[in-house]
Amino acid sequence: MGGKQKTLAILAGTVLAAGLTSPAFGSTTAHSPALRTAATGSGMSVVEWNRELITILGDPKAQPSTVQPTRSFALLQAAEYDAVVSITRAGPAYVFSVSAPGGARADAAADQAAHDVLVALYPAKRAAVDQRLSSQLSAIPNGPGKQAGIGVGAAVARRLISLRSNDGSAAEPPRFRPGNKAGDYRPTPPKFPAPVFTNWGSVKPFVLASGRQFRPAPPPAVSGAAYATALNEVKSLGSKTSTTRTPDQTAAAKFWAAAPVWNVWNQVAQGLVTSQNASLEKAVKVFARLDLSLADTTIAMYDAKYAYRVWRPVNAIRLGGTHYNPSIVGDPNWTPLLPTAPDPSYPGAHGALSQAAATTLAGFYDARHHLAVTSKGATRTFAGFQDAATEAWLSRIWSGQHTSLDNRAGQQLGTQVADFVARHL
């Protein structure tokens, strides 16, 4: 039995043992007309819960620094999605469906599922989350359908949290030992922080069989011509004192670094769902596919980062005087436009995550859909999803963070993960 099939078989057994129905990806279940006519409500409730999570994550003490936030987005959106399709049967379940009485309200189910996931993840934030639930449920007429929907949402959230309780996300990250050879990752100036998420590549993915399923090919040797070309581009465009970077490139570099990139793309989805007046069924599918793709891309990205452990441009440029590559002239004082993120360079995070998001959203909306993306009060406009994703990864060259080699590997990885998730949801 292959890895993916084995994983799903184990998961299916767990779900069936819990008394649930419709186990595993792509499952379908016959449904009655009563289920089909259950009220589904507006997609705005999904947007509000997504915003609530972003607000929670704005508190740096909300969760351990060793837990990657994309996991929380995936749990939230998967729970809402499975709660809704348990009632509407409008699509395949992500993991499972629970029994739903005829007339159960899908909107109540989504709200309760979202609430219960956030309370489980962030118990200290319960007061605000309880208030959000009260506000959401108050808009739904009282009656048996509402209560049935609440029961469905609670059951889905409880089972999903249980299934993810041993996914490896709570493991203590191993101590990282930097290398001392040319190309080996080491902490970066000026503060030389310890690298983050060193174990995240071994966390159980949400849809992929493993974090290494789409691991990019090894990067070119740092002694070769391809690496020299890519690094020299960063040396010129990414320097804090660059004379070749344009003012707009500087603005873009700062824009895409102002907030976590997964927040930015979730906010893009919020705008799309709101402007299109999406139904609840459409909204939960958009957000589930987006955030499952982002979560699994993050796992796959960290798997590759710590498999290859490639140093960052700032160290490569400052150590160029060691003559590890005759086409690179070192500069011991070179400083990037923005501080370097504390993890290995290959593949690039913005390239991987933005490509996963753009690929996912283009599957729901016109690929040339005009976008106005806002982050920390600044707005940039794009002619389509790919244009936004491309600028996101180019911004990491302009900010001195990544080479084009990192970005191309990230783009490939993000596309592969998003396409795989789309085939299963």
Side-chain angles (χ1 to χ4, degrees):
M1 181 180 290
K4 179 66 178 177
Q5 289 72 26
K6 184 177 180 181
T7 299
L8 293 179
I10 293 171
L11 183 58
T14 303
V15 171
L16 289 172
L20 306 176
T21 62
S22 272
F25 299 106
S27 59
T28 56
T29 303
H31 50 266
S32 68
L35 290 175
R36 289 292 294 173
T37 59
T40 58
S42 165
M44 279 306 299
S45 64
V46 185
V47 170
E48 292 301 324
W49 285 111
N50 190 269
R51 288 174 176 162
E52 186 73 25
L53 176 54
I54 290 177
T55 297
I56 290 172
L57 291 171
D59 178 358
K61 297 180 181 179
Q63 68 182 18
S65 61
T66 55
V67 177
Q68 225 288 332
T70 52
R71 176 181 185 268
S72 299
F73 282 100
L75 283 169
L76 171 67
Q77 305 307 162
E80 287 189 88
Y81 175 84
D82 271 356
V84 169
V85 299
S86 288
I87 294 171
T88 66
R89 309 297 188 195
Y94 157 58
V95 179
F96 51 72
S97 294
V98 301
S99 297
R105 294 281 305 223
D107 44 5
D111 288 333
Q112 191 68 48
H115 167 274
D116 291 3
V117 165
L118 293 184
V119 167
L121 294 176
Y122 307 103
K125 303 293 184 181
R126 177 157 199 153
V129 177
D130 282 354
Q131 185 176 8
R132 170 66 61 192
L133 178 64
S134 177
S135 175
Q136 296 292 104
L137 291 180
S138 68
I140 302 173
N142 291 325
K146 179 178 180 177
Q147 292 306 311
I150 289 172
V152 169
V156 167
R158 184 169 59 251
R159 301 301 193 268
L160 186 57
I161 288 292
S162 177
L163 285 173
R164 295 297 304 187
S165 62
N166 295 309
D167 61 5
S169 60
E172 185 73 21
R175 182 180 177 184
F176 183 83
R177 299 184 182 279
N180 56 14
K181 298 178 182 178
D184 288 348
Y185 178 78
R186 63 213 62 195
T188 53
K191 296 184 178 180
F192 302 94
V196 297
F197 302 117
T198 54
N199 67 322
W200 205 256
S202 62
V203 169
K204 179 183 177 181
F206 285 83
V207 183
L208 302 184
S210 74
R212 62 181 179 275
Q213 182 172 340
F214 294 116
R215 183 184 290 176
V222 298
S223 58
Y227 185 78
T229 298
L231 187 67
N232 284 329
E233 179 184 37
V234 180
K235 183 181 177 184
S236 174
L237 289 171
S239 169
K240 190 171 186 177
T241 57
S242 174
T243 58
T244 56
R245 185 180 58 244
T246 69
D248 187 63
Q249 289 170 342
T250 299
K254 294 179 178 179
F255 175 88
W256 286 102
V261 71
W262 49 86
N263 282 12
V264 175
W265 283 105
N266 270 277
Q267 289 166 336
V268 168
Q270 291 172 14
L272 291 166
V273 167
T274 301
S275 66
Q276 301 282 320
N277 195 27
S279 67
L280 177 63
E281 292 176 354
K282 175 72 173 288
V284 294
K285 189 166 187 177
V286 169
F287 277 102
R289 193 181 290 177
L290 171 66
D291 284 309
L292 290 169
S293 294
L294 290 175
D296 275 7
T297 297
T298 300
I299 292 170
M301 175 188 74
Y302 279 115
D303 164 78
K305 279 180 178 286
Y306 288 105
Y308 297 124
R309 301 188 174 203
V310 177
W311 62 7
R312 286 283 185 156
V314 62
N315 287 330
I317 294 167
R318 290 191 176 192
L319 292 172
T322 59
H323 308 297
Y324 66 87
N325 188 316
S327 298
I328 295 171
V329 177
D331 180 353
N333 298 312
W334 189 88
T335 300
L337 173 65
L338 301 175
T340 299
D343 56 32
S345 200
Y346 182 92
H350 275 60
L353 294 169
S354 292
Q355 192 65 36
T359 301
T360 298
L361 295 175
F364 288 102
Y365 302 95
D366 183 350
R368 301 306 297 172
H369 186 98
H370 183 269
L371 294 177
V373 183
T374 299
S375 178
K376 299 293 185 180
T379 300
R380 294 183 68 82
T381 58
F382 304 94
F385 298 109
Q386 187 58 59
D387 289 351
T390 298
E391 184 181 88
W393 68 256
L394 283 172
S395 77
R396 307 307 278 171
I397 295 175
W398 302 331
S399 62
Q401 304 292 300
H402 284 291
T403 68
S404 60
L405 302 172
D406 305 331
N407 291 329
R408 283 197 292 271
Q411 280 190 296
Q412 176 183 318
L413 179 61
T415 300
Q416 290 173 316
V417 173
D419 285 344
F420 187 84
V421 171
R423 291 195 296 271
H424 289 81
L425 189 65

